[in-house]
DNA sequence: AACACACGTGAAACAGTTTCATCATACTCG
DNA sequence: CGAGTATGATGAAACTGTTTCACGTGTGTT
């Protein structure tokens, strides 16, 4: 439909200049760049090579997140299952590095032949996601959520399951229950804490901020927290770990420190794989299906690509509670 | 250097036909396809779009393997660290699906603008890797190894570390030692079993094939093996699990069945993350650094791309033994 | 005032892809 | 058996996007 030649005419410049702007060459005046970009946006320009459209989907990491966790691997597996059918390939990008200076995200995506983006963002590093949203490029945010009129979000609804999890602890007789979360928030994490609040409030129990603990979401973080926990006076009898790894690390470290699980301390964790069966005792956990999450993200994105101008939406995949052996009845009264 | 026009002249056809062959259009005769492909190979044809070369690196999965494991995520993280610097992006491909009918791998790679490939193959699904190797496309095989004059391989040298691991068991007084491996072999697995053989043989102990057990490399496989193991007469006093997940599952299941670890059974596992610290007892394991492995694979591939015609090589990253709490001295004499 | 130089720009050349017309061959139906 | 029709292979030309090269133009320097 729209070509560099057409954009050039619209903007009153040569096709050379258009190409330069789109490829972020340095030798182009701010005025020309401005004219070209506005014309390109108005025309909903999408580059084709020869006549063939490029067909890639990007998985864009922003900020502290990086490919490398088992969760991300599962997400990718889910995404790719649907993609082949539509002839897309998955390109993995680092939002902090792949962009050239002064380049907008849309420019970068066009340059790389990318048709749609799945964004992995967190609350502390939302800049890029916000930018992509503002530029109107087809995109889906995965695992985070923020206020934006035209963005589609896919995540898991862990609030309800988190509430159930804490209710399970309450049903076992626990009254003094803490929650352990990452030092960095994203909406999924905040949801889980809300779920904790919901259950505690409904039961008339205290959920003071002193019961919300923070530790980095890795093994050492989980162990360090447990060491700190062991020396706390009047410590909770049950904990809900909102991140997978620290939960597992804590189950171990607790026992190493002589705190029996679940006799002395009940632990509910979070799991997006099968690791809950691997701890000893097996971990009672709020579970989500990472593969399904990835699949949904692609499907939502694909709809956005096929029918642009669609109403954005928020999709919440279910999460669920599985009771295993790391939680048990309150054995003896503290104090 | 070489363009479709040049290839067309060489092959005595039009540029249209060349483009069609390279894009695997159906309407082209076998004879014309043959002529064009041979001319393209002779000229070391590499497509450019406009004038700009495309710059992608593919991670190609073949056969049963799929993106989705934590190991693969770590490999990817390693690969991508080096790639940005050279302006490459990572594209994830499924070798069984991304290819169009009758298309060679080289054709597919050229079509997708891919400059080099990292191959994840296993012994049972080597077809694609072999094919890529035969076509002479820049490629590195990761985690597998086979006989090919022009292929570069990157893997971890787990034979020596495996030998050490079994020697560690022998030093603890164990004489009746088994090894548990996947139902599917790749060279890394075979190496580990060789390491087991090495140690057993050096110590004059039996390593009969009845001591090599096979179970699928997932949790249920590990648990099922342990159930089987529990009912074995005259069972080994120590086991070396050559895959990570079954090892962890076995540590748990053993204890669930009343087999104490390490008092009744010593277990050495395999780990490419930090999970060895997460089991209870913490797992004595042969460890490899998946991120470093991924990084090395890209570096080797990059050299191949920058200086074609280089001598292929076999690169073995170190693996090492870490002794933790799942192994212990032989407590009481069996039999 | 004359010169050098960087910068912005576009014409033209180039790389690849697709459309459309052409020709040959095979197949169908009277 | 022969005329008409479908099908398959092919190339010229049109089209998309990128890069080279040459050309002003303004700015600073001596």
């Amino acid at each position: 439909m729209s070509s560099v030649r057409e954009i050039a005419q619209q903007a009153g410049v040569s096709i050379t200049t258009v190409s330069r702007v789109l490829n972020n060459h340095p030798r182009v005046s701010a005025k020309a760049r401005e004219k070209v970009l506005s014309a390109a946006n108005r025309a909903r320009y999408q580059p084709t090579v020869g006549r063939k459209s490029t067909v890639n989907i990007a998985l864009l990491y922003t900020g502290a997140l990086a490919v490398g966790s088992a969760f991300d691997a599962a997400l990718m597996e889910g995404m790719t299952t649907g993609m082949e059918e539509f002839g897309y390939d998955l390109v993995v990008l680092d939002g902090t590095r792949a962009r050239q200076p002064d380049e907008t995200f849309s420019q970068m995506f066009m340059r790389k032949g990318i048709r749609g983006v799945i964004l992995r963002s967190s609350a502390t590093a939302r800049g890029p996601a916000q930018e992509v949203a503002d530029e109107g490029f087809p995109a889906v945010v995965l695992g985070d959520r923020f206020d934006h009129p035209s963005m589609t979000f896919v995540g898991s609804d862990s609030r309800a399951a988190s509430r159930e999890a804490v209710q399970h602890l309450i049903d076992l007789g626990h009254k003094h229950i803490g929650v352990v979360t990452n030092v960095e928030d994203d909406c999924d994490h905040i949801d889980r804490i809300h779920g904790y609040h919901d259950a505690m409030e409904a039961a008339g129990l205290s959920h003071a901020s002193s019961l919300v603990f923070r530790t980095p979401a890795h093994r050492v973080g989980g162990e360090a927290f447990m060491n700190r926990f062991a020396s706390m006076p009047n410590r909770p009898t049950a904990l809900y770990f909102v991140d997978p790894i620290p939960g597992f690390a804590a189950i171990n470290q607790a026992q190493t420190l002589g705190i029996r699980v679940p006799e002395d301390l009940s632990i509910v964790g979070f799991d997006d794989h099968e690791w809950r069966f691997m701890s000893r005792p097996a971990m009672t956990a709020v579970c989500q299906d990472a593969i399904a999450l990835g699949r949904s993200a692609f499907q939502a994105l694909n709809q956005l690509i096929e029918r642009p101008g669609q109403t954005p939406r928020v999709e919440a995949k279910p999460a669920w509670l599985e009771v295993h052996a790391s939680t048990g009845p309150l054995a003896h009264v503290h104090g």
Side-chain angles (χ1 to χ4, degrees), chain A:
Chain A
M1 212 55 38
S2 61
S3 68
V4 272
R5 267 122 186 133
E6 209 170 303
I7 305 280
Q9 201 170 20
Q10 284 280 325
V13 296
S14 72
I15 55 167
T16 312
T17 303
V18 174
S19 179
R20 276 202 262 259
V21 170
L22 262 26
N23 288 285
N24 212 41
H25 270 255
R27 294 283 181 79
V28 54
S29 66
K31 201 161 64 183
R33 161 169 285 130
E34 172 59 34
K35 279 192 295 186
V36 169
L37 279 180
S38 113
N41 279 338
R42 249 182 296 131
R44 294 235 173 285
Y45 173 74
Q46 208 150 43
T48 54
V49 175
R51 267 291 165 67
K52 170 194 265 185
S53 313
T54 47
V55 280
N56 287 320
I57 297 290
L59 172 59
L60 184 76
Y61 285 87
T62 72
L65 288 163
V67 62
S69 80
F71 178 59
D72 288 287
L75 289 179
M76 265 189 241
E77 177 160 354
M79 287 171 208
T80 50
T81 50
M83 274 169 48
E84 304 276 354
E85 188 188 333
F86 293 88
Y88 291 119
D89 290 319
L90 183 70
V91 178
V92 181
L93 293 180
D94 182 333
T96 59
R97 290 189 294 178
R99 213 158 39 138
Q100 289 175 5
D102 283 336
E103 199 179 22
T104 68
F105 275 107
S106 297
Q107 268 178 281
M108 179 187 77
F109 295 142
M110 290 193 298
R111 180 163 58 81
K112 291 181 185 291
I114 286 161
R115 284 282 272 279
V117 188
I118 294 170
L119 288 157
R120 290 275 290 128
S121 81
S122 64
T124 52
R126 267 185 200 148
Q130 199 95 35
E131 229 176 293
V132 174
D134 291 341
E135 291 173 18
F137 200 87
V140 168
V141 171
L142 184 47
D144 191 23
R145 207 161 59 246
F146 52 87
D147 212 38
H148 197 282
S150 65
M151 180 52 90
T152 294
F153 299 90
V154 173
S156 72
D157 178 20
S158 42
R159 182 169 182 165
S162 294
R163 185 195 167 128
E164 274 183 69
V166 176
Q167 186 60 49
H168 161 68
L169 292 171
I170 294 169
D171 293 344
L172 287 169
H174 295 276
K175 290 181 163 44
H176 195 187
I177 304 171
V179 63
V180 186
T181 185
N182 196 354
V183 288
E184 182 167 2
D185 277 333
D186 62 22
C187 268
D188 281 3
H189 282 74
I190 292 168
D191 276 358
R192 294 168 206 169
I193 295 172
H194 278 318
Y196 161 78
H197 284 172
D198 291 346
M200 296 299 272
E201 200 149 295
L205 297 173
S206 159
H207 53 92
S209 65
S210 63
L211 285 169
V212 178
F213 305 101
R214 286 187 180 272
T215 196
H218 50 234
R219 173 179 63 91
V220 175
E223 289 172 0
F225 169 77
M226 219 53 222
N227 293 337
R228 179 150 66 98
F229 179 82
S231 66
M232 283 180 194
N234 188 29
R235 60 193 191 213
T237 60
L239 291 171
Y240 173 28
F241 283 84
V242 147
D243 288 290
I245 313 263
F248 291 112
I251 287 183
N252 269 325
Q253 190 65 8
Q255 295 176 93
T256 302
L257 294 167
I259 301 171
R260 292 170 302 163
V261 178
E263 292 82 355
D264 303 328
L265 174 66
S266 280
I267 289 180
V268 176
F270 198 92
D271 193 19
D272 33 47
H273 272 279
E274 290 208 318
W275 287 104
R276 58 190 173 278
F277 301 104
M278 238 73 101
S279 70
R280 183 144 195 94
M283 187 166 86
T284 296
V286 175
C287 307
Q288 68 181 7
D289 183 343
I291 294 177
L293 220 50
R295 195 168 40 229
S296 292
F298 168 71
Q299 283 167 354
L301 180 60
N302 195 38
Q303 282 188 20
L304 238 54
I305 293 170
E306 307 232 310
R307 285 193 294 280
Q310 225 190 347
T311 53
R313 62 215 165 84
V314 174
E315 190 173 324
K317 304 294 293 181
W320 65 94
L321 173 67
E322 272 188 27
V323 175
H324 293 289
S326 67
T327 50
L330 186 57
H332 54 97
V333 181
H334 254 275

